[in-house]
Amino acid sequence: MGRNDDNFSRIIASISAMVFLGTPHRGSNLAKLLNKLLAVSRIGPSPKQYVADLAEDSSAIEELNDQFRNIPTKIEITSFYETRYSTAAYRKLIVKKESSIIGCRGEISQPLNADHHNLCKFASPDDDNYVSVRNTLRSIIASFHGSGTPKQESFSNPMEKVCTLLGISEAPEDDLNFYYDRRMADTCSWVLSDAKFLDWMQHKSSSQTLWISGPPGSGKSILSSFLVKHFRAEDIDCSYFFFRGANRSQRSAGWFLRSIAFQIAQTRPVYRQRLQWLCDAGKRLEKSDPESLWQKLFASALKQVELSAPIYIVLDGLDESDSHQTLLALLSSASSNIPIRSVIVSRPTDAITRAFERFDSSTPITRLSVESAGKDIPMFVERELQSMRGDAELRRQVTNQIIQRASGNFLWVHFAVKEAVSCHTQQQIEEVLHDLPEGMHPLYQRMEESMTRSLKPSNLSLAKALLASVGCAQRPLNLDELNKVLEPEFAHLIDLKHTISQICGDILVVDRKDRVTFVHETARDFLIKASQGPLRIDPVTIHQILLLRCIAYLSDPKLSSQVGQNPPPVLLHYAAESWSFHLQARSAANEEVLVALFEFLQSSSVLTWIKALATQDKLKSLVQSSHALTAFANKRGAIDSSVAPNLRPLQELETIELWATDLLKIVGKFGRNLVDNPDSIFKFIPQFCPKNSAIHRQFARNDAFSVLVSGESHNDWDDSLAKLFVGADTQALSIITTGQCFAIATSADVIILWDAATCQEVRRLLHKEHVTALCASADGKKIASYGFRTTKVWNLSTGRELHSIPNSSDSRALCIAFANMDTILLTGSDDRIIRQVSLDKSMDGWQTVGSDFLADGSNAVGTINSPSCLAFDPEGTHVAMGFRGAPLAVFPVENPAQVLRCRRVRETQAGTSARSWTSVDHVIWHPRSAEVLGIYQDGNIFKWHPFENTSREANEAASAIACSPDGDIFATSDVEGSVKIWKHYDFAPIYQLRCEHPVTDLAFSPDNRRLYDLRGSCCNVWEPNVLVRMADLDKSGSEAASDSVSTALSTTISEAQADIMEPVTALAAGPRGQFHVFGNAEGEVKLLQSSTNQVVEEWTSSNFMPIEQIACSADGKHVAWRDLGGKVIVKQLQPDKLAGKSSQQPSQTVFDATVTSEDGPTQQLLLSNTSEYILITGHTSAQLWSGKDGSRITSWNSPNVDAFFRWMNHPCHQDQLLAIGADNAFACQWQDLTITSSMKFQTPKPHKSAQRRGNIDQVRRPSGPRTMSSDNINPIVENAMLTQDGAHLMVETSRGSDHETSERQLMMFSKSELLGTLSHLTPKSLPFLLWSKLQLPLGVLPGDKFVFLDNEHWLCSWQLNSGDGSSGLERHFFLPRDWLNAECLECCLVLGNGALLIPKNGEVASIKSDVGLQW
């Protein structure tokens, strides 16, 4: 309310953070109980509406939440929730966690160890709850005034971008509480007075490592939780992580590093801003490998933050990590750069001991054993035995016996005490303690035997099912999920938590969040690896059971209507995300699994599953499932290779393989659409998929309620997303990519920006000089272009020129790069000199850095002249320089004297290796390591580590090279046009694309999913399966992840043949949609007859000039087109031949002439209604030609050279035409262009186009070249047309108002106004709400339905004059991402029957939908 009330606007604007403590955002189930009590109470108040409004899912709460969710994106939200029951009698939470959390993106949620009544009542300043709330408030305040710098984050939730960057939304607080809750009071405090611990705390060295080791079950994790709580109480910022075997996804080094970075960002605003900067640059680190994470998050980002105190990290369970050696290596490398004091807790395994010994010399390490615990075990035993019957002497004897045999194992002691307390005689106690084995595995074996003897057969089966399900689940299951997994064998369990405590209480535990885990990871290890008893877990069998349970759950017909509900169905998330995990762990030979997969993939349940993942934005699970299906099909194919072909399950395997491909393509081509509209997997996506795909075969519909797509001849998936045309007679020279867009420098001295998501052209930057080098800033917000005379720096969002720096007249830059957090520019020139300019002082110009590294002559090797190639490393501290007659040289930017040279290893005739040198033609730096990649003069590719002098090369004939941003792969091209993708690690090719035309430059997208190449005047955008698969696989350092990556990067090279047709450049439709004609960039003109879908080739340009304009006559008897060279052709169509199957041209030429415009590029080609006249126009001129004899009749020139006009046939008078300007129009005679009348427009207030999600600026590009400059202030008529219903004249104009926006107008006039003699016309205005959605107007269909594309590329319709735009609006279908490119939006049109014609890969597709018309 305050947001919409001016009286509160100043207050609302001042709110930057909000903290909630136990607030029931989604209500409480106790509200109904309270009203019932009020109803029966005689002395209390009656039931209240406001109490009813607090009930779970009440309409009042839902309305409040809906209003509030759009606000917190600008406010930092922290929500605390209760974890303790309110009373012993009523064992429930008053406000559950899911109600305490709003669910806003970037919201920070934290638990408090309190019930609802005491949630904000603190016992003392040392109270853990008080410390948590205080630290949160301190962090918020620090974000406003931290380190003396003003807050720069008020525009959004401070942690939102950090969550997006890291893929983590909260600290592992649940793990911390799980262990701390099991701590007995007064234990663990021994460590605080231990001499080694004190020495570690007080050591002068800023970086220190304390290694606490102990055997399994010795209380290490509980000690870790104690230290975290202690550091917090002492106001020490401490990050922590618990490696837990139960959750396989969180055992990787990558998860640890991202979690630690997230926690540091919560309390250190300056570091948080660094991570936000990475997010703005388009970085997404969720699946990055550990080395990349360390480099970006710590070695780079954290190194640049001034730290007044060391960073404390507690790492528990290093031995449970999948990559402990990697972690130790990374942490040890921080000693000299980053002050990290780490507590590492683990078992003292040989591998970890050796790893610590290896790094002991570089990092001070203090080793502490938990055997130093001293009094903790006696204290625990004495306290637990207080409830044992017997006198003090008996308890003392039992205590001594347990302590003597404990060997420091808390877990063993726990079981021993439990056994002793349950005894009834002293003799029983002695027998129990005597028989109790030492060591955990023998103890687990005894427990297994005890359970076997004591449990009923039915309970023993239940216990085995419980242990097996928990032991093989991908992540810990909660009680509700586990209950569902146990069905139907064990249905209707009354109280599963109680059941677990009764029959598995010694092995399984239930944590605060009702998740079921093993009491210790050693218990799971025993049951899987060592047990020979009835409770033994057979992983292969259990994974099959869980796989079939998941598939059966997802195949339930009732599930379709439940997806999207809140809360979701109990097992939905686990089944949807984990069935592929269980499939990978199962044998491919099992027939039951094969049949289950086949039936699932053949049913509509597969679409329900995809919808469920899209609803949760978990589409990466589709990629993982694709990988699992591919592996299964390959294994099954190998198994069946010895079986007779007629006995092989060919249909089943074909279905599995097709779906494995479909899942990847669905993510790549429809991912964003699917997340925004999950139901589209049923309605639209199958229709847009190729005809031979599994999803199209099975689910594409052909009825009046479906989207029908025709006109495409491509029946299979391909790797091409788009082919972009930079202009005729223009070459694409170089390409760079950022998070939002990619930029191409052209030979026309123009830099073209394209939207990265949609491949639409969004802006042209006019450098006005030949650009020799191009680079993007690290934050993705700026680019720099180096020309012959000046270097310009541009703002990508606005197109504004930020700097113009004069260049040296005696040199040419080979490379340009941003450095030092984008504050300086570096160039390396052909005079071998490195220069830099500070962007804060750009007026000072270029300054020489160091000197020519050959200045003193001591570094000369070979014949050195101008460099042939040059590259800066990612930090801008070193440069690699190649020469025609000398070896590649690497040296520091500021100290050219320290030169390292690339020596090539060759085999001699004697069979020995010798080092020589070869000149290098191309060189780039690896983005993560200190290696360089390059191409030798003979075409071979190589990598070389200049500081370790190691190298590797591969035999190839490469001509261009580019490395992916994550450094895992790189791409090369050869002179014949083939492109290869290689693994960086072992130089093995994994993908090859064969295509015509040589490549001039290559680039990967920032998310590694796409590869761009430049060929002549075109840019091709590729999205191979191998890139999609790799981008969505976890490379965070786990064994499972390593296996996935290894499979994704198999040594078998996949090949693709690109069949890319020339892009459509012009499109026109005949009357009533009987046919349409289109031309392409190769000068071909084709006609498609709608009734037969027959395509006829009408004409081909002899000089391959692109077709620029096409026009059809109103009677449908003539078609005209014009190519770039000015060639104008008019043909008369022959309807009788059009209806036949003849491939001959059903037309004859009636006009053939070369016509050029007098005021620049030709803008329009128009035929009179009878084709007697032909009009050819420029912006301010027109020429009239005779369609009968081909003669030029007359010409017209606008009296105002700044006025732009579009021409059309007069809607009311066949012998006249209209010239439409931005604010006026005039009518003239066709026969001589004599003006007969004129009129002025009462133009409405223009609307400024705003930036929209995913796009920099989606304003439609006008015909002809246009750049974003201050000169574009005159209005341009983008389009003028008689709408499809024949009742309206629609005029679209735009003008550049400033560098940041362009003003747009859409005027709609009634055709009836043109019948009169009005001198002023007043257009119908569109409501602002509709303008905020409008991307491209397409016309008005019968029934006053205004049709347009919205800013998310949905085809929409709106009933004219139906209010403020909030009603009468319908969305019919979206355009797939790979359909959106330059040729698409410039040429698409809607027919009178509602069909959308849109270019797609050299063809024209027709899309029919439920726009409200019959077809």
Side-chain angles (χ1 to χ4, degrees):
M1 292 185 293
R3 197 181 188 193
N4 300 318
D5 191 332
D6 292 339
N7 294 324
F8 299 100
S9 59
R10 294 180 63 185
I11 297 176
I12 299 302
S14 301
I15 298 175
S16 296
M18 301 180 75
V19 178
F20 296 98
L21 289 94
T23 306
H25 298 292
R26 291 180 176 80
S28 172
N29 57 9
L30 295 181
K32 294 180 180 178
L33 175 61
L34 177 57
N35 257 343
K36 289 180 180 179
L37 293 175
L38 293 175
V40 300
S41 173
R42 295 183 178 180
I43 59 174
S46 60
K48 301 294 183 183
Q49 179 60 43
Y50 63 79
V51 176
D53 287 342
L54 287 176
E56 285 185 344
D57 301 323
S58 75
S59 59
I61 286 181
E62 285 299 317
E63 183 179 354
L64 285 173
N65 286 337
D66 289 341
Q67 294 175 7
F68 190 73
R69 283 192 188 100
N70 295 324
I71 300 175
T73 55
K74 297 185 178 181
I75 299 176
E76 180 176 355
I77 302 293
T78 302
S79 298
F80 289 95
Y81 57 91
E82 62 204 68
T83 57
R84 291 196 174 278
Y85 300 141
S86 288
T87 65
Y90 189 79
R91 296 183 57 78
K92 289 185 179 294
L93 299 174
I94 299 297
V95 180
K96 299 178 182 178
K97 177 183 177 182
E98 54 267 27
S99 182
S100 300
I101 299 173
I102 301 175
C104 300
R105 185 170 178 81
E107 175 185 8
I108 300 172
S109 61
Q110 295 188 37
L112 291 179
N113 188 21
D115 59 23
H116 192 72
H117 180 69
N118 295 299
L119 199 62
C120 47
K121 299 176 182 178
F122 310 115
S124 71
D126 296 327
D127 187 331
D128 288 339
N129 292 336
Y130 173 79
V131 171
S132 295
V133 176
R134 181 200 62 194
N135 287 348
T136 296
L137 295 174
R138 174 180 293 168
S139 173
I140 292 172
I141 294 172
S143 68
F144 301 145
H145 305 292
S147 302
T149 59
K151 181 181 178 181
Q152 300 176 4
E153 305 163 338
S154 58
F155 61 89
S156 66
N157 186 312
M159 290 302 294
E160 181 180 5
K161 291 182 179 180
V162 177
C163 296
T164 301
L165 174 73
L166 301 176
I168 288 180
S169 58
E170 60 183 3
E173 200 80 21
D174 293 325
D175 293 336
L176 175 66
N177 292 328
F178 174 78
Y179 291 113
Y180 194 74
D181 288 347
R182 301 170 67 187
R183 170 183 172 264
M184 190 182 72
D186 300 326
T187 58
C188 300
S189 57
W190 62 268
V191 72
L192 303 180
S193 58
D194 187 273
K196 292 182 178 180
F197 178 81
L198 293 173
D199 179 68
W200 172 78
M201 285 288 294
Q202 299 167 4
H203 201 282
K204 294 181 180 179
S205 174
S206 57
S207 293
Q208 281 278 310
T209 298
L210 175 65
W211 177 28
I212 301 178
S213 63
S218 56
K220 300 186 298 298
S221 296
I222 294 174
L223 178 62
S224 296
S225 68
F226 170 80
L227 286 174
V228 173
K229 296 283 188 177
H230 167 74
F231 290 141
R232 285 182 170 183
E234 295 294 320
D235 281 345
I236 296 175
D237 284 337
C238 174
S239 303
Y240 60 92
F241 192 84
F242 292 83
F243 283 106
R244 296 185 66 181
N247 199 332
R248 291 167 173 80
S249 65
Q250 297 183 16
R251 295 195 307 208
S252 67
W255 193 285
F256 161 77
L257 293 171
R258 288 185 287 117
S259 178
I260 296 299
F262 177 87
Q263 295 173 65
I264 296 173
Q266 283 183 304
T267 58
R268 297 179 185 260
V270 178
Y271 180 65
R272 180 163 63 238
Q273 291 173 5
R274 289 290 304 168
L275 298 193
Q276 290 173 334
W277 186 75
L278 287 174
C279 183
D280 289 339
K283 305 295 184 184
R284 299 296 181 267
L285 305 180
E286 184 176 357
K287 291 174 283 291
S288 297
D289 60 274
E291 289 80 5
S292 294
L293 289 171
W294 179 263
Q295 179 63 35
K296 291 183 174 68
L297 298 176
F298 298 94
S300 179
L302 192 57
K303 181 181 177 181
Q304 298 177 22
V305 176
E306 292 186 11
L307 299 172
S308 58
I311 293 174
Y312 283 76
I313 297 175
V314 175
L315 189 166
D316 180 79
L318 179 65
D319 48 293
E320 299 288 349
S321 166
D322 287 338
S323 47
H324 62 268
Q325 290 186 345
T326 299
L327 272 179
L328 289 178
L330 294 175
L331 289 173
S332 69
S333 67
S335 59
S336 59
N337 299 322
I338 308 168
I340 291 180
R341 295 206 171 189
S342 55
V343 179
I344 299 177
V345 183
S346 74
R347 305 179 197 178
T349 64
D350 292 341
I352 291 179
T353 301
R354 287 194 299 270
F356 271 113
E357 291 172 350
R358 186 178 302 118
F359 298 113
D360 196 16
S361 59
S362 59
T363 305
I365 295 176
T366 302
R367 181 169 181 178
L368 178 62
S369 173
V370 293
E371 296 173 0
S372 306
K375 297 180 180 180
D376 275 2
I377 288 181
M379 186 188 308
F380 174 80
V381 174
E382 290 173 1
R383 190 167 298 181
E384 292 297 309
L385 289 182
Q386 288 177 359
S387 61
M388 188 182 76
R389 289 171 291 277
D391 55 22
E393 179 59 25
L394 176 61
R395 287 195 292 271
R396 186 186 64 78
Q397 292 177 6
V398 173
T399 298
N400 290 337
Q401 290 185 55
I402 292 176
I403 293 172
Q404 289 174 4
R405 298 183 58 191
S407 299
N409 192 321
F410 258 102
L411 191 59
W412 186 93
V413 169
H414 167 76
F415 290 131
V417 168
K418 186 174 181 179
E419 292 274 355
V421 171
S422 65
C423 294
H424 299 280
T425 67
Q426 184 172 347
Q427 182 178 355
Q428 285 181 336
I429 294 174
E430 293 175 353
E431 290 175 355
V432 163
L433 295 180
H434 179 270
D435 295 339
L436 202 63
E438 296 182 2
M440 293 312 300
H441 275 203
L443 181 60
Y444 290 133
Q445 183 175 349
R446 183 176 184 276
M447 294 166 61
E448 182 183 22
E449 293 170 352
S450 175
M451 292 173 63
T452 303
R453 290 193 305 269
S454 62
L455 293 177
K456 298 177 182 179
S458 58
N459 285 345
L460 185 63
S461 298
L462 176 57
K464 182 173 183 177
L466 284 167
L467 294 170
S469 300
V470 174
C472 291
Q474 185 180 23
R475 60 162 174 80
L477 298 168
N478 62 42
L479 290 171
D480 292 335
E481 291 173 330
L482 186 55
N483 229 330
K484 203 70 178 176
V485 166
L486 294 173
E487 294 177 355
E489 289 84 351
F490 305 97
H492 310 298
L493 292 172
I494 299 173
D495 187 344
L496 182 57
K497 188 173 184 179
H498 176 73
T499 299
I500 290 173
S501 68
Q502 292 297 306
I503 67 176
C504 299
D506 290 337
I507 301 179
L508 297 181
V509 294
V510 182
D511 67 12
R512 286 187 187 183
K513 297 183 71 174
D514 285 342
R515 295 178 303 185
V516 185
T517 61
F518 282 94
V519 68
H520 198 270
E521 187 63 16
T522 52
R524 178 180 176 274
D525 291 342
F526 166 78
L527 291 174
I528 291 178
K529 300 176 182 178
S531 172
Q532 298 299 320
L535 298 181
R536 179 179 179 272
I537 298 175
D538 177 11
V540 175
T541 302
I542 302 306
H543 280 299
Q544 176 177 323
I545 293 173
L546 292 175
L547 167 65
L548 296 176
R549 293 276 167 85
C550 290
I551 291 179
Y553 184 84
L554 295 172
S555 301
D556 185 349
K558 299 178 182 177
L559 188 64
S560 178
S561 62
Q562 299 172 350
V563 173
Q565 292 181 355
N566 189 17
V570 171
L571 197 60
L572 178 60
H573 289 174
Y574 183 85
E577 297 175 39
S578 299
W579 71 261
S580 59
F581 165 76
H582 297 298
L583 176 62
Q584 289 178 298
R586 181 67 195 115
S587 170
N590 187 276
E591 292 299 322
E592 187 178 4
V593 171
L594 179 66
V595 171
L597 280 176
F598 176 68
E599 292 178 349
F600 172 64
L601 296 175
Q602 282 280 334
S603 71
S604 60
S605 298
V606 68
L607 301 186
T608 302
W609 163 61
I610 295 173
K611 176 184 174 181
L613 292 173
T615 303
Q616 296 298 316
D617 197 5
K618 297 285 188 180
L619 293 188
K620 69 177 182 180
S621 292
L622 294 182
V623 178
Q624 294 163 354
S625 299
S626 170
H627 165 65
L629 290 173
T630 299
F632 179 87
N634 291 340
K635 292 177 184 176
R636 184 59 190 244
I639 293 171
D640 292 339
S641 60
S642 58
V643 179
N646 61 324
L647 299 178
R648 298 175 187 172
L650 299 180
Q651 183 183 3
E652 289 84 349
L653 288 181
E654 180 191 26
T655 298
I656 291 173
E657 290 170 347
L658 285 175
W659 270 107
T661 299
D662 284 4
L663 295 179
L664 282 180
K665 293 299 184 181
I666 287 170
V667 174
K669 295 180 183 289
F670 304 101
R672 192 67 259 164
N673 303 116
L674 192 51
V675 171
D676 291 342
N677 190 275
D679 281 326
S680 63
I681 192 63
F682 294 98
K683 297 179 180 179
F684 311 128
I685 291 177
Q687 313 296 125
F688 285 114
C689 293
K691 294 178 181 179
N692 290 337
S693 64
I695 187 172
H696 185 92
R697 286 182 183 178
Q698 296 172 208
F699 303 113
R701 294 157 48 189
N702 187 14
D703 55 55
F705 301 99
S706 303
V707 172
L708 301 181
V709 182
S710 60
E712 274 202 292
S713 62
H714 299 281
N715 295 327
D716 299 294
W717 295 110
D718 59 40
D719 293 338
S720 173
L721 275 183
K723 182 175 183 179
L724 311 175
F725 191 53
V726 300
D729 299 326
T730 301
Q731 296 296 305
L733 303 177
S734 60
I735 179 171
I736 56 172
T737 62
T738 71
Q740 283 189 313
C741 69
F742 56 96
I744 299 175
T746 71
S747 60
D749 304 340
V750 171
I751 301 161
I752 307 177
L753 303 183
W754 311 78
D755 185 86
T758 65
C759 295
Q760 290 176 248
E761 182 180 330
V762 293
R763 180 169 289 117
R764 296 192 173 206
L765 308 176
L766 187 60
H767 193 116
K768 299 182 181 179
E769 304 166 21
H770 181 68
V771 175
T772 64
L774 200 63
C775 71
S777 61
D779 63 5
K781 297 180 179 179
K782 300 184 289 290
I783 65 170
S785 53
Y786 189 101
F788 278 147
R789 293 180 298 276
T790 59
T791 295
K792 297 182 184 293
V793 180
W794 311 85
N795 183 306
L796 286 179
S797 295
T798 65
R800 184 187 298 275
E801 181 185 301
L802 301 177
H803 305 278
S804 181
I805 307 159
N807 294 334
S808 170
S809 59
D810 299 329
S811 63
R812 176 178 64 91
L814 300 178
C815 181
I816 186 170
F818 285 90
N820 194 25
M821 296 182 62
D822 298 337
T823 59
I824 66 171
L825 274 177
L826 289 171
T827 63
S829 305
D830 54 6
D831 58 3
R832 301 186 301 272
I833 293 178
I834 308 301
R835 297 175 175 86
Q836 74 174 27
V837 61
S838 172
L839 297 182
D840 295 332
K841 302 177 181 178
S842 60
M843 297 298 293
D844 294 345
W846 293 105
Q847 307 295 318
T848 300
V849 181
S851 59
D852 182 353
F853 84 105
L854 290 177
D856 60 1
S858 62
N859 289 316
V861 175
T863 302
I864 297 181
N865 293 313
S866 295
S868 58
C869 56
L870 190 147
F872 294 103
D873 69 352
E875 286 75 34
T877 58
H878 287 77
V879 62
M881 197 177 288
F883 305 89
R884 294 291 182 190
L888 178 71
V890 168
F891 54 88
V893 168
E894 296 185 354
N895 189 1
Q898 300 178 5
V899 181
L900 302 170
R901 293 184 177 82
C902 178
R903 303 288 185 176
R904 191 177 186 183
V905 179
R906 291 181 177 274
E907 296 292 326
T908 66
Q909 294 183 349
T912 60
S913 297
R915 286 189 176 271
S916 60
W917 62 266
T918 302
S919 59
V920 173
D921 287 344
H922 299 275
V923 64
I924 57 175
W925 283 85
H926 190 269
R928 191 173 70 238
S929 69
E931 292 177 313
V932 294
L933 293 161
I935 303 175
Y936 286 124
Q937 192 174 31
D938 57 12
N940 281 7
I941 55 176
F942 71 93
K943 65 176 178 180
W944 171 54
H945 198 302
F947 308 107
E948 298 178 2
N949 200 26
T950 57
S951 62
R952 184 166 189 162
E953 72 174 89
N955 189 17
E956 186 66 14
S959 59
I961 189 169
C963 191
S964 65
D966 63 7
D968 288 337
I969 54 177
F970 65 95
T972 61
S973 63
D974 60 30
V975 292
E976 296 182 353
S978 293
V979 174
K980 282 185 180 179
I981 298 178
W982 307 71
K983 290 188 289 185
H984 169 261
Y985 176 73
D986 59 2
F987 261 43
I990 57 175
Y991 174 81
Q992 179 168 335
L993 174 74
R994 300 187 184 278
C995 191
E996 297 180 352
H997 309 299
V999 175
T1000 56
D1001 200 12
L1002 293 165
F1004 284 91
S1005 62
D1007 61 3
N1008 305 296
R1009 287 176 175 269
R1010 295 180 179 179
L1011 178 67
Y1012 304 87
D1013 71 41
L1014 303 183
R1015 302 170 190 257
S1017 59
C1018 294
C1019 171
N1020 294 296
V1021 186
W1022 310 99
E1023 192 170 68
N1025 286 353
V1026 65
L1027 294 187
V1028 177
R1029 187 179 293 115
M1030 287 185 59
D1032 282 306
L1033 284 176
D1034 185 0
K1035 293 168 278 188
S1036 54
S1038 68
E1039 293 174 354
S1042 299
D1043 292 342
S1044 298
V1045 175
S1046 177
T1047 304
L1049 295 177
S1050 63
T1051 55
T1052 303
I1053 183 171
S1054 61
E1055 297 196 16
Q1057 180 72 37
D1059 183 20
I1060 299 181
M1061 302 169 69
E1062 293 298 325
V1064 172
T1065 54
L1067 171 65
R1072 297 173 299 283
Q1074 295 176 342
F1075 63 87
H1076 58 263
V1077 185
F1078 58 96
N1080 62 26
E1082 282 288 299
E1084 298 174 331
V1085 179
K1086 299 179 182 181
L1087 182 146
L1088 185 142
Q1089 176 69 13
S1090 300
S1091 60
T1092 63
N1093 282 331
Q1094 179 188 9
V1095 177
V1096 178
E1097 293 188 7
E1098 287 289 341
W1099 185 75
T1100 301
S1101 170
S1102 59
N1103 51 8
F1104 306 104
M1105 287 287 185
I1107 304 300
E1108 290 214 314
Q1109 291 100 24
I1110 296 179
C1112 297
S1113 63
D1115 58 9
K1117 295 180 179 180
H1118 293 82
V1119 175
W1121 56 83
R1122 178 187 177 279
D1123 68 14
L1124 181 63
K1127 188 77 167 178
V1128 178
I1129 302 290
V1130 180
K1131 287 203 172 191
Q1132 181 178 358
L1133 303 179
Q1134 301 180 30
D1136 55 333
K1137 290 187 178 181
L1138 273 175
K1141 299 294 183 180
S1142 173
S1143 61
Q1144 305 215 351
Q1145 297 177 351
S1147 59
Q1148 63 180 10
T1149 302
V1150 296
F1151 183 90
D1152 185 342
T1154 299
V1155 183
T1156 57
S1157 174
E1158 297 176 353
D1159 63 341
T1162 297
Q1163 297 299 307
Q1164 199 174 356
L1165 178 66
L1166 185 65
L1167 294 176
S1168 63
N1169 289 302
T1170 60
S1171 304
E1172 183 179 356
Y1173 302 106
I1174 305 165
L1175 187 74
I1176 301 165
T1177 74
H1179 277 304
T1180 59
S1181 67
Q1183 300 177 46
L1184 183 66
W1185 292 71
S1186 170
K1188 293 181 178 179
D1189 57 18
S1191 63
R1192 176 171 169 171
I1193 299 174
T1194 187
S1195 62
W1196 172 89
N1197 290 287
S1198 171
N1200 183 358
V1201 295
D1202 292 327
F1204 295 84
F1205 289 89
R1206 300 283 292 182
W1207 298 72
M1208 60 182 291
N1209 280 290
H1210 200 293
C1212 305
H1213 306 289
Q1214 288 195 0
D1215 59 346
Q1216 294 184 22
L1217 68 163
L1218 284 176
I1220 310 293
D1223 52 14
N1224 70 311
F1226 61 85
C1228 57
Q1229 295 288 345
W1230 258 115
Q1231 62 182 4
D1232 56 8
L1233 299 185
T1234 301
I1235 297 176
T1236 60
S1237 63
S1238 62
M1239 59 210 78
K1240 286 280 188 179
F1241 300 153
Q1242 300 291 338
T1243 55
K1245 182 180 179 180
H1247 294 273
K1248 289 188 176 182
S1249 65
Q1251 292 184 23
R1252 303 185 176 104
R1253 188 190 63 182
N1255 291 4
I1256 297 176
D1257 177 11
Q1258 294 182 329
V1259 178
R1260 187 181 178 198
R1261 188 170 63 90
S1263 303
R1266 184 184 184 191
T1267 61
M1268 286 298 296
S1269 81
S1270 57
D1271 298 332
N1272 296 322
I1273 59 175
N1274 296 312
I1276 292 177
V1277 181
E1278 304 277 10
N1279 190 23
M1281 62 178 287
L1282 180 67
T1283 57
Q1284 293 85 346
D1285 63 353
H1288 299 87
L1289 175 65
M1290 188 177 76
V1291 180
E1292 181 189 3
T1293 67
S1294 69
R1295 86 170 75 204
S1297 61
D1298 52 41
H1299 287 281
E1300 299 186 4
T1301 58
S1302 62
E1303 294 180 346
R1304 307 174 65 196
Q1305 287 181 333
L1306 184 67
M1307 297 179 285
M1308 201 81 69
F1309 302 94
S1310 173
K1311 173 185 172 182
S1312 60
E1313 292 186 77
L1314 301 176
L1315 288 170
T1317 59
L1318 296 176
S1319 59
H1320 288 80
L1321 300 182
T1322 302
K1324 298 178 182 179
S1325 59
L1326 296 179
F1328 178 78
L1329 185 60
L1330 197 68
W1331 262 108
S1332 66
K1333 300 179 174 65
L1334 182 62
Q1335 160 73 10
L1336 178 64
L1338 294 171
V1340 180
L1341 299 178
D1344 280 350
K1345 276 200 169 182
F1346 174 54
V1347 184
F1348 63 95
L1349 286 178
D1350 71 6
N1351 49 35
E1352 293 181 336
H1353 301 101
W1354 280 74
L1355 183 75
C1356 303
S1357 64
W1358 179 69
Q1359 197 72 32
L1360 288 177
N1361 305 317
S1362 60
D1364 61 359
S1366 60
S1367 61
L1369 179 65
E1370 293 183 71
R1371 301 178 94 195
H1372 300 281
F1373 61 86
F1374 62 78
L1375 293 177
R1377 186 180 68 172
D1378 62 323
W1379 290 44
L1380 299 173
N1381 51 52
E1383 68 183 49
C1384 163
L1385 294 187
E1386 289 186 21
C1387 296
C1388 68
L1389 54 89
V1390 169
L1391 302 179
N1393 62 4
L1396 175 69
L1397 298 183
I1398 179 170
K1400 174 69 167 64
N1401 193 20
E1403 299 175 312
V1404 176
S1406 171
I1407 308 175
K1408 298 179 181 180
S1409 66
D1410 60 339
V1411 189
L1413 302 174
Q1414 299 295 325
W1415 30 264

